[in-house]
Amino acid sequence: EVQLVQSGAEVKEPGGSLRISCKASGYTFTTYWIGWVRQMPGKGLEWMGIIYPGDSETRYSPSFQGQVAISVDKSINTAYLQWSSLKASDTAIYYCARLATMVFDYWGQGALVTVSS
Amino acid sequence: EIVLTQSPGTLSLSPGERATLSCRASQSVSSSYLAWYQQKPGQAPRLLIYGTSTRATGIPNRFSGSGSGTDFTLTINRLEPEDFAVYYCQQFGSPLLTFGGGTKVEI
């Protein structure tokens, strides 16, 4: 059974750094792209970027290029989304999802990130 | 960049009725790369339809997708209580991925 299990909710202060994770199981991790999707409070879905765990090739949405970093550790089947300097506007739920045949077929449960002083 | 515009923003219907949701693209989208997702409150999105009209595993046949070029439609026949949710379309192509703004189907 394919599963994507994300790390838990986080509360951080503005300017802080953060890395959230997404652990995959039930399939060959290195052969599917993994994507990250943002959902701000009460808003729709925004694609942030995707990474191919096999070779770490990464592609970012123009809206998020330079704002976040996506990485993987294929030894532990885990993808990461990282911020170096959080802003209040980063408050959102972040989902990881597996990309197959150009669609996100399996999703993580989501991780709520709250940035507040 | 391809922009997806979904309409209406909110659809108020009753169980048993048919829902027709529209997704319009700013440029032509390959029918192979148009998908629909359902999201219920407090849950992650779920893939419903891919390749414009192919239902994902386990999706009931009351859900159907159609369209081509810049106009795509998700139809839900005989709405069930569990179908009241927000629906998003998504395209793959330019600038890789974009989602529409969503349509809320409410009672």
Side-chain angles (χ1 to χ4, degrees), chain B residues 34 36 47-57 59 63-65:
Chain B
L34 195 288
W36 291 91
L47 177 66
L48 289 179
I49 300 278
Y50 63 93
T52 296
S53 59
T54 302
R55 283 186 299 276
T57 303
I59 302 303
F63 291 92
S64 63

Side-chain angles (χ1 to χ4, degrees), chain A residues 37 39 43-47 50 59 62 95 99 102-105 107-108, chain B residues 33 35 37 39 43-45 47 50 88 90 92 95-97 99-101:
Chain A
V37 175
Q39 188 166 42
K43 302 299 183 183
L45 306 174
E46 300 174 273
W47 166 66
I50 54 174
R59 304 181 189 179
Y95 294 100
L99 188 68
M102 317 310 176
V103 297
F104 291 119
D105 61 348
W107 293 68
Chain B
Y33 300 149
Y37 299 83
Q39 187 180 32
Q43 296 185 18
L47 177 66
Y50 63 93
Y88 296 94
Q90 173 242 310
F92 185 96
L96 264 189
L97 275 155
F99 289 96

Side-chain angles (χ1 to χ4, degrees), chain B residues 27-82:
Chain B
Q27 302 171 45
S28 184
V29 172
S30 168
S31 58
S32 299
Y33 300 149
L34 195 288
W36 291 91
Y37 299 83
Q38 176 193 66
Q39 187 180 32
K40 297 179 182 179
Q43 296 185 18
R46 177 175 72 148
L47 177 66
L48 289 179
I49 300 278
Y50 63 93
T52 296
S53 59
T54 302
R55 283 186 299 276
T57 303
I59 302 303
N61 61 12
R62 63 179 181 273
F63 291 92
S64 63
S66 62
S68 64
T70 59
D71 289 298
F72 297 88
T73 301
L74 174 69
T75 301
I76 313 171
N77 286 309
R78 299 180 304 279
L79 279 163
E80 297 284 345
E82 62 266 28

